[in-house]
Amino acid sequence: MRKTPEASPRIALALAGGGPLAAVYEIGALCALEEALDGLDFTRLQHYVGVSAGGFIAAALANGLSPRALCAAFIEDTGGSDAEVFDPAWLMVPAYGEFARRAALLPGLAASALWRAGSGRLRWTEALAQLGPAIPTGLFSNEDIHRRLARVFGQAGRSNDFRSLRSRLSLVATDLETGETVVLGGPGWDHVPISRAVQASAALPGLFPPVTIGGRSFVDGALKKTLHASVALEAGADLVLCLNPLVPLRAAGSGSTRIADRGLPAVLGQTFRALIHSRLETGMKHYARAWPAADIVLLEPDPDDAEINLASAFSYGRRRQLAAHAYRQTRAQLRARQDELAPRLARHGITLRADLLADDGRALLAPVRAPAPVRPRLGRALADLGQALDRLERQLRPA
């Protein structure tokens, strides 16, 4: 039986996806929330809902890793064994197995297509379409996600089993065969290892092959909805904190270069952000109508913020800068919205710490110190000798 602190979840966290950038933003924002929200332990919420990259963070929090611990592991690489919670290098391994399986189909498909085209049964363009099953379904393997997370969550005090967690964890994926949303960790799907569920929820079509679970194929959970906060609301949550890392940049108000002038990657990125954000806006309106008694708090980047909104979804190399920026911007949002948020949070026993938010000296990360120059052995010896002679001179100097 699942171990839960209450029969019905009351306070939930819903995390959207968006590649490594999403995880970086969410960690920075969560560290700001952890400081500012007194009375809330982010490792002891009643329900966690994660989609795609948000699934990594949700699964880690449900396993007792605090936002600060995630920052140490994910952003600063100082988390010891926890540093394996996520590494984008896992996502860049070519899908050799998928390539080999598809290549094995090519001779038979090609022979069939040539025969049917040569006999006049198909046009040549139609014959070429018969080769589709030989095209790989993903460029990169995502098997390392399952393998490495299974090791992380298999450590003492953690679990790779939904049913043994203290809190409820829901990781959303899409059933490729039906197009339906499936909540892994929910009824009928809580036997799936958490590591496998994270892998399925983050299997972006075209980039990664579908993940097979129980004979069915699963892909990224963001295909139908951006956030899936309804999973927590349907389970009885009174307060749902939502983090969405991707919004379209309002370039006209940001003072940045026109998006069209930045080339195809920027145009596609802005298009993708606009599409998923329009769905989010529709979803938030639906949540407000369907669950009027629940408090739903959404935090996301400012549309005018070019720093975060122009960053690539795979901007892991700038993780320190982007996480610190997300931390600062989240604090600024909480300050600007404190008159609205404080009473809503207070209904759930949470105090918004205005005094901490007013402290502009707080920072997510300590400044990176340049390593001390390593002097050659002779140089060190000469320096030591010079210091000794200086001390001797001072002692011999007449009063």
Side-chain angles (χ1 to χ4, degrees), residues 169-215:
L169 172 64
S170 298
L171 300 174
V172 183
T174 304
D175 187 331
L176 189 60
E177 311 303 326
T178 65
E180 296 177 351
T181 293
V182 174
V183 181
L184 301 173
W189 294 101
D190 57 358
H191 64 285
V192 179
I194 294 172
S195 54
R196 184 69 78 188
V198 173
Q199 177 192 9
S201 181
L204 183 64
L207 201 60
F208 305 109
V211 176
T212 301
I213 300 175

Side-chain angles (χ1 to χ4, degrees), residues 16-18 21-23 25-26 243-247 273 299-301 308-309:
L21 172 64
Y25 170 85
E26 287 169 352
L243 291 183
N244 171 50
L246 299 183
V247 302
R273 291 167 188 264
L299 292 171
E300 57 186 3
I308 196 81
N309 293 325

